[in-house]
Amino acid sequence: MSIPDKVRIVEVGPRDGLQNEKGPVIDTAVKVELINRLSDAGLNHIESASFVSPKWVPQMGDAAAVMGAINRRPGVVYAALTPNMKGLEAALRAGADEVAVFGAASESFTRNNINCSIAESIERFQPVLETAIKEGVRVRGYVSTTLGCPYEGAIDPTKVADVSSLLYDMGCYEISLGDTIGTGTPLLAKRMLEAVAAKIPLEHLAAHFHDTYGQALANYYAVLEEGLSVFDTSVAGLGGCPYANGASGNLATEELVYMLNGIGVEHGVDLDKLIDAGRYICRELGRANGSKVAYALSEPSP
Ligand code: HMG
Ligand code: MG
């Protein structure tokens, strides 16, 4: 399989990046400014909010206000997480262009993340999919813990393929394969992808790798070599998962864009503007920038 000429980047910073931010709830206006800067940088698929319980994830409590205040750029998909009908109804009211349900390949992670079993999660997602599709809104399906679980350790790729197939068969147009805790390594990522791609066409799959162990860029390159062309990343490497201890953010979008520039794969993102967006949000949050590329390009050249 040859490397694709072009990839789609799904920017998850405003959701996956900010959901776990400690400290006071981030101002809605800051989230909106971040999203606007990301679209200005050329990102055309931005996961912008999460319609989950604010008791579980306080940072996403203003999801409707965020969705309502974005400067909507034509051609950009502003997506949101919706774990159940309550979330979907709110997301539709707020004008989400796309929604996502999120399950996992591990029972214990599912229980900790969304308070139900895998089988119950699939039952819960059924009406979400039916309603969203009836409303003309596409549904993405996440499968977490595809390369390891914080509670169960190694995960059998056939389990990942089984849960992915259930979501795909229910009508998810794309399945995003999450290395939630970032323990995966390149050959494991390839084997996992091969198991899932045996059941679901590759063009309906995406990778969502966290960078906890510094493996995400290598893992992305490994699955790019397999022909995968949709990658979830987070500006400035923001983020983590509230129900996966020690998890850090997704690979920084800046790192992926820099690598794609180097190997000549088209992506449509302006690296300078992206770096500015990352610097903006890090300044606002008072936290260090998680992108090495942003750091390297901040120094004047010798
Ligand atoms: P539950 O407690 O089982 O739900 O939570 P419930 O139906 O019993 O409702 C309990 C309360 O929550 C009720 O309020 C509901 O109204 C409210 P109360 O009567 O107590 O005042 N509620 C809601 N409020 C707002 N929006 C909703 C909603 N649903 C119920 N949609 C639930 C079940 C799924 C809601 C809960 O477990 C939850 O919100 N979990 C959040 C999980 C989460 O956001 N995790 C992080 C995102 S997933 C992730 O990061 C992984 C990913 O990036 C991929 C990867 O990296 O692998 C996608
Ligand atoms: Mg994630």
Side-chain angles (χ1 to χ4, degrees):
M1 178 67 75
S2 62
I3 287 180
D5 298 333
K6 191 176 172 185
V7 302
R8 172 157 57 88
I9 298 178
V10 178
E11 169 60 53
V12 297
R15 191 282 300 172
D16 207 334
L18 299 185
Q19 70 184 6
N20 199 32
E21 198 58 37
K22 303 284 181 277
V25 173
I26 303 155
D27 282 352
T28 304
V30 170
K31 295 174 181 169
V32 170
E33 176 68 17
L34 172 64
I35 295 165
N36 290 343
R37 285 176 185 240
L38 292 167
S39 68
D40 188 47
L43 286 151
N44 58 16
H45 199 148
I46 305 176
E47 202 168 70
S48 306
S50 184
F51 290 87
V52 294
S53 162
K55 285 186 194 143
W56 285 61
V57 186
Q59 283 293 7
M60 294 287 112
D62 59 350
V66 170
M67 294 302 290
I70 299 165
N71 175 17
R72 302 233 179 177
R73 206 171 264 268
V76 176
V77 173
Y78 296 96
L81 294 193
T82 54
N84 52 19
M85 280 304 289
K86 185 169 177 139
L88 176 71
E89 281 156 10
L92 293 178
R93 276 197 302 275
D97 297 315
E98 179 181 302
V99 297
V101 293
F102 47 103
S106 121
E107 282 294 348
S108 37
F109 184 83
T110 308
R111 174 68 59 194
N112 277 277
N113 195 34
I114 52 174
N115 205 21
C116 61
S117 67
I118 294 175
E120 284 163 347
S121 75
I122 299 296
E123 260 171 53
R124 245 185 225 179
F125 298 155
Q126 191 76 51
V128 174
L129 273 134
E130 278 166 15
T131 310
I133 291 167
K134 212 182 310 151
E135 295 292 323
V137 169
R138 296 205 299 178
V139 184
R140 204 172 194 233
Y142 279 103
V143 179
S144 285
T145 63
T146 64
L147 294 173
C149 169
Y151 314 103
E152 296 176 22
I155 295 289
D156 184 344
T158 58
K159 185 77 190 161
V160 179
D162 289 347
V163 177
S164 299
S165 289
L166 285 171
L167 292 176
Y168 184 69
D169 292 345
M170 281 165 76
C172 290
Y173 80 96
E174 182 167 279
I175 305 299
S176 182
L177 300 163
D179 183 10
T180 316
I181 53 169
T183 49
T185 45
L187 293 182
L188 283 180
K190 283 193 183 206
R191 296 293 94 80
M192 182 276 289
L193 180 65
E194 279 161 11
V196 181
K199 294 193 160 191
I200 300 172
L202 197 61
E203 58 272 26
H204 292 284
L205 299 176
H208 177 104
F209 295 160
H210 284 257
D211 201 30
T212 316
Y213 291 82
Q215 302 298 301
L217 186 63
N219 293 342
Y220 276 139
Y221 186 72
V223 293
L224 184 76
E225 278 193 321
E226 296 286 295
L228 197 79
S229 64
V230 185
F231 300 92
D232 300 359
T233 55
S234 174
V235 64
L238 297 173
C241 176
Y243 303 105
N245 280 345
S248 66
N250 292 79
L251 178 71
T253 310
E254 295 89 327
E255 265 70 329
L256 181 69
V257 166
Y258 182 87
M259 180 185 78
L260 295 172
N261 285 345
I263 59 176
V265 174
E266 208 183 305
H267 51 73
V269 179
D270 179 320
L271 181 58
D272 291 333
K273 286 186 172 181
L274 173 65
I275 289 173
D276 283 346
R279 288 195 182 128
Y280 163 75
I281 189 63
C282 290
R283 237 181 1 256
E284 288 292 336
L285 299 177
R287 56 129 78 202
N289 196 316
S291 162
K292 288 177 102 81
V293 169
Y295 182 71
L297 293 179
S298 69
E299 301 299 326
S301 302

